[in-house]
């Protein structure tokens, strides 16, 4: 009897804390794997979680917000320990967070901030800084002239952050009268066709264009296609982001001026480490570099630095770090 009394509490602790003995189950909800970077994000994230003893279930919504909601519902009901989201739509994903929280599942917002919701951690690059880097580089080369701004979809909070970065740099130049923004619009999807259509319309008006700042390399690609059709590719400065292989080829060709290289490995590894720590009930204080206000709370966050890539430094950056292989560029 005395032994039973001693053993019983120990047994109870084991029964009440089953997750301590289990592999943490992490759910990763992705928007798309269409663009070059996202397959890298996925592979690196899965690799790191597995290295740390966890398991990952990945679902890709193919840019369909209601599909992502459905996938979230299934994942939450399957009993994952932590949910990591690359949201398709910031409003719909706030609903996903609510749903996860009802089941006490912690949520990490990956790359894109989920606004007005109770997220536990946010891992991204400093997207305002990305916008500033783009605008800074191009406006140093062309401090006066006609500018076109092609923002990403407004369902992605990154699009607003990038735009804020652009305006931080350009507003004083606009006020001085040196820079004229001839078009400042957001596309509906992160697709080259969206930017192509937008740029074609602008060029059909016969406006002189000196600079195009695009939300990413897919949009830059669409804009360059329209410029090519008007015989203007190479005469107009163009910025994108992501260091897509197509963008690097366009940089070598002289049709794109810069792209932004984001530290995808560090992004994925930080998210994986945070997910495992949260699953194991550990504190994230040592990991966070700042807090970000998402309209609901000050979210513990990691915001990483990006780099400008141009013709001069692409071998010292994306190639030497193994992000792209030299032979891929010239295929
Ligand atoms: C953004 C992301 C970019 C780009 C884009 C399209 O949210 O920050 O790097 O990939 O989505 O997928």
């Amino acid at each position: 009897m005395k032994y039973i009394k001693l053993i019983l509490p120990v047994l109870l602790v084991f029964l009440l804390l089953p997750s301590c003995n289990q592999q943490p189950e992490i759910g990763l909800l992705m928007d798309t794997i269409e663009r070059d970077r996202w397959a890298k994000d996925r592979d690196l994230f899965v690799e790191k979680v597995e290295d740390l003893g966890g398991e990952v279930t990945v679902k890709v919504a193919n840019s369909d917000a209601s599909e992502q909601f459905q996938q979230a519902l299934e994942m939450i009901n399957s009993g994952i320990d932590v949910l990591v989201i690359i949201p398709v739509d910031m409003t719909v994903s706030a609903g996903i967070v609510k749903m996860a929280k009802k089941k006490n599942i912690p949520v990490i917002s990956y790359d894109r901030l989920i606004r007005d919701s109770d997220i536990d951690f946010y891992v991204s690059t400093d997207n305002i800084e990305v916008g500033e880097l783009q605008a800074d580089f191009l406006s140093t080369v062309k401090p006066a002239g006609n500018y076109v701004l092609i923002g990403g979809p407004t369902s992605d909070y990154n699009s607003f952050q990038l735009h804020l970065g652009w305006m931080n740099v350009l507003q004083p130049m606009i006020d001085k009268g040196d820079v004229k923004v001839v078009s400042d619009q957001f596309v509906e999807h992160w697709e080259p066709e969206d930017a192509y259509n937008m740029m074609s319309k602008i060029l059909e008006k016969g406006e002189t264009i000196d600079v195009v700042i695009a939300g990413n390399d897919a949009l830059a690609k669409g804009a360059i296609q329209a410029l090519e059709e008007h015989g203007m590719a190479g005469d107009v400065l163009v910025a994108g982001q992501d260091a897509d292989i197509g963008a690097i080829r366009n940089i070598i060709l002289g049709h794109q001026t810069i792209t932004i290289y984001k530290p995808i490995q560090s992004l994925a590894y930080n998210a994986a480490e945070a997910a495992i720590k949260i699953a194991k009930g550990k504190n994230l204080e040592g990991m966070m570099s700042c807090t970000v206000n998402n309209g609901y709370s000050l979210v513990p966050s990691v915001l990483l630095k990006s780099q400008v890539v141009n013709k001069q430094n692409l071998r010292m950056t994306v190639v030497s770090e193994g992000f792209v292989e030299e032979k891929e560029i010239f295929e």
Side-chain angles (χ1 to χ4, degrees):
M1 193 59 189
K2 194 173 140 200
Y3 288 115
I4 291 178
K5 269 190 184 163
L6 276 174
I7 289 168
L8 211 58
V10 178
L11 262 177
L12 267 175
V13 167
F14 275 105
L15 286 173
L16 289 172
L17 289 173
S19 61
C20 290
N21 295 324
Q22 280 172 2
Q23 264 190 325
E25 294 281 344
I26 315 298
L28 175 65
L29 289 175
M30 302 189 71
D31 168 359
T32 179
I33 45 164
E34 279 290 301
R35 307 269 79 84
D36 287 8
R37 64 160 289 190
W38 295 116
K40 291 192 176 94
D41 287 85
R42 178 201 55 201
D43 295 347
L44 291 161
F45 179 81
V46 171
E47 171 196 297
K48 192 66 177 177
V49 167
E50 288 178 354
D51 273 2
L52 296 170
E55 260 189 4
V56 190
T57 307
V58 183
K59 296 267 183 218
V60 183
N62 298 319
S63 302
D64 180 339
S66 48
E67 174 70 20
Q68 188 166 67
F69 192 88
Q70 199 51 41
Q71 291 173 342
L73 188 67
E74 282 161 27
M75 261 188 194
I76 290 166
N77 289 334
S78 76
I80 48 162
D81 297 305
V82 177
L83 184 59
V84 179
I85 312 179
I86 301 161
V88 175
D89 179 291
M90 63 175 158
T91 315
V92 176
S93 56
I96 295 177
V97 178
K98 237 186 206 159
M99 196 160 70
K101 287 303 167 117
K102 271 194 193 138
K103 298 250 174 159
N104 294 320
I105 298 173
V107 178
I108 296 176
S109 193
Y110 185 109
D111 193 276
R112 303 173 180 171
L113 184 64
I114 305 175
R115 299 258 323 147
D116 304 317
S117 58
D118 183 15
I119 52 176
D120 297 84
F121 205 61
Y122 170 50
V123 182
S124 187
T125 41
D126 183 336
N127 292 296
I128 299 174
E129 187 191 62
V130 170
E132 289 170 350
L133 288 173
Q134 292 176 308
D136 215 34
F137 195 97
L138 297 195
S139 65
T140 304
V141 183
K142 201 94 193 157
N146 287 352
Y147 277 56
V148 170
L149 307 180
I150 307 179
T154 53
S155 51
D156 181 345
Y157 193 63
N158 283 351
S159 302
F160 297 106
Q161 292 179 314
L162 283 176
H163 192 270
L164 189 61
W166 299 341
M167 295 320 281
N168 283 348
V169 175
L170 298 179
Q171 195 60 57
M173 307 171 108
I174 297 168
D175 294 344
K176 253 174 92 187
D178 290 344
V179 165
K180 183 179 167 208
V181 177
V182 293
S183 170
D184 181 6
Q185 299 175 67
F186 292 91
V187 293
E188 216 172 308
H189 311 282
W190 286 111
E191 294 298 332
E193 300 73 52
D194 286 40
Y196 169 77
N197 293 334
M198 188 179 276
M199 195 67 208
S200 299
K201 280 189 194 137
I202 298 164
L203 293 171
E204 272 149 30
K205 285 188 197 153
E207 196 99 48
T208 320
I209 307 297
D210 299 298
V211 175
V212 176
I213 308 183
N216 77 351
D217 286 337
L219 301 182
K221 180 182 168 186
I224 290 167
Q225 197 192 329
L227 289 168
E228 273 168 358
E229 287 180 9
H230 285 75
M232 290 165 73
D235 299 336
V236 175
L237 305 181
V238 179
Q241 71 155 327
D242 284 345
D244 279 2
I245 189 73
I248 290 169
R249 289 186 187 131
N250 269 337
I251 288 176
I252 289 175
L253 208 66
H255 288 182
Q256 185 166 334
T257 321
I258 58 159
T259 183
I260 301 291
Y261 170 43
K262 307 211 275 200
I264 303 298
Q265 174 165 318
S266 188
L267 207 60
Y269 282 8
N270 268 286
E273 275 166 34
I276 295 294
K277 278 202 169 143
I278 295 177
K280 291 186 172 169
K282 290 190 183 153
N283 195 301
L284 291 181
E285 252 167 42
M287 286 192 70
M288 62 183 262
S289 61
C290 59
T291 57
V292 172
N293 188 345
N294 77 335
Y296 177 92
S297 64
L298 292 177
V299 183
S301 306
V302 171
L303 288 190
L304 301 163
K305 296 260 166 228
S306 307
Q307 289 177 71
V308 171
V309 172
N310 66 358
K311 213 183 220 168
Q312 278 67 45
N313 74 354
L314 70 88
R315 280 190 180 77
M316 288 177 309
T317 52
V318 282
V319 175
S320 76
E321 290 185 27
F323 190 74
V324 296
E325 282 187 45
E326 182 128 19
K327 66 172 194 302
E328 266 183 281
I329 302 176
F330 300 103
E331 255 168 28

